[in-house]
Amino acid sequence: AQSVTQLGSHVSVSEGALVLLRCNYSSSVPPYLFWYVQYPNQGLQLLLKYTTGATLVKGINGFEAEFKKSETSFHLTKPSAHMSDAAEYFCAVSEWVQGAQKLVFGQGTRLTINP
Amino acid sequence: DTEVTQTPKHLVMGMTNKKSLKCEQHMGHRAMYWYKQKAKKPPELMFVYSYEKLSINESVPSRFSPECPNSSLLNLHLHALQPEDSALYLCASSQESRRNSPLHFGNGTRLTVT
């Protein structure tokens, strides 16, 4: 089975500072990886995905992530944090089970932005 | 705005009630999913439908009964639930049930079982 581990259940940064949210994966096949964001009382919104090709993936809201096979990592970054970035962030890996896709999520990282 | 619509937004039900959660998408997606999310936890997969056929049931108790009447609609029928079933229930869809097909989520139904 594939899995992802998010290091740090809570990350706090100042407005304008670099955001770095860590995700490591475990997969016996080439992984398909996703980052989602969840604002309070809402569903999950796709930030970006890595399937094949370019290892640096750009997403919405200024976020990007780099797939590093040697480190089994897919960390999410944003150069300058904004107050509106405060939310829960989930890293996920896609599995193929019983002929269908199963998205397996990490435990999540709550991002707090300090003014 | 989300392209996956879930109703109702909130639901309170007693343990003897029967209710249904509804989910609708008009993106032409052929795979639909039910996830359950407890507070401060990640979503957990319950069911996957692909081309209107049930593909995955993650050993969900029979008091939860999914239904996919057509490719745009997904229902979750609830009966004799327990207080521990209180959670946010998320519906999602993807173009197809392939590993590289991202899921689009609705805003969920917050269920409270009393």
Side-chain angles (χ1 to χ4, degrees):
Chain A
Q2 299 178 55
S3 65
V4 291
T5 301
Q6 292 183 241
L7 299 175
S9 60
H10 190 194
V11 171
S12 182
V13 302
S14 298
E15 191 174 17
L18 171 71
V19 174
L20 171 60
L21 304 182
R22 299 176 188 274
C23 173
N24 287 89
Y25 69 89
S26 173
S27 176
S28 57
V29 297
Y32 289 170
L33 297 161
F34 305 83
W35 274 100
Y36 283 86
V37 60
Q38 186 175 32
Y39 298 101
N41 300 314
Q42 292 189 24
L44 280 73
Q45 181 182 11
L46 178 69
L47 281 175
L48 48 81
K49 66 175 183 177
Y50 170 78
T51 53
T52 57
T55 56
L56 182 61
V57 181
K58 293 189 184 302
I60 63 170
N61 301 340
F63 284 94
E64 62 182 35
E66 187 170 10
F67 172 71
K68 292 187 176 180
K69 184 178 177 181
S70 60
E71 299 177 9
T72 62
S73 68
F74 189 56
H75 301 332
L76 182 71
T77 60
K78 181 174 181 178
S80 177
H82 192 273
M83 295 299 290
S84 60
D85 294 327
E88 188 85 19
Y89 291 80
F90 293 99
C91 181
V93 64
S94 178
E95 277 194 306
W96 189 248
V97 176
Q98 298 171 33
Q101 176 183 210
K102 176 179 176 179
L103 207 57
V104 178
F105 290 91
Q107 290 300 304
T109 298
R110 179 164 298 275
L111 177 64
T112 302
I113 312 295
N114 302 313
Chain B
D1 287 342
T2 178
E3 296 174 32
V4 176
T5 303
Q6 291 188 244
T7 55
K9 288 186 170 55
H10 301 275
L11 179 63
V12 179
M13 60 185 291
M15 290 189 285
T16 58
N17 291 158
K18 285 186 182 181
K19 296 286 184 182
S20 296
L21 308 185
K22 297 185 184 301
C23 175
E24 189 169 5
Q25 58 87 14
H26 293 290
M27 295 178 282
H29 289 176
R30 304 313 301 268
M32 297 187 78
Y33 310 75
W34 280 116
Y35 277 82
K36 173 182 177 180
Q37 187 179 26
K38 301 284 276 184
K40 300 189 188 305
K41 294 290 187 183
E44 295 180 349
L45 182 65
M46 300 175 72
F47 303 103
V48 179
Y49 274 84
S50 180
Y51 289 88
E52 299 156 48
K53 290 190 184 336
L54 184 63
S55 297
I56 297 178
N57 176 343
E58 290 283 271
S59 302
V60 179
S62 60
R63 57 185 184 269
F64 295 91
S65 176
E67 179 195 20
C68 189
N70 59 58
S71 59
S72 300
L73 294 174
L74 186 66
N75 298 321
L76 186 62
H77 304 296
L78 314 173
H79 173 56
L81 294 193
Q82 304 297 311
E84 59 264 29
D85 296 322
S86 298
L88 181 68
Y89 288 83
L90 294 163
C91 174
S93 69
S94 65
Q95 192 166 10
E96 292 196 2
S97 188
R98 288 200 300 247
R99 289 182 61 223
N100 63 349
S101 189
L103 272 60
H104 298 254
F105 284 85
N107 283 330
T109 294
R110 188 162 299 282
L111 174 68
T112 303
V113 182
T114 61

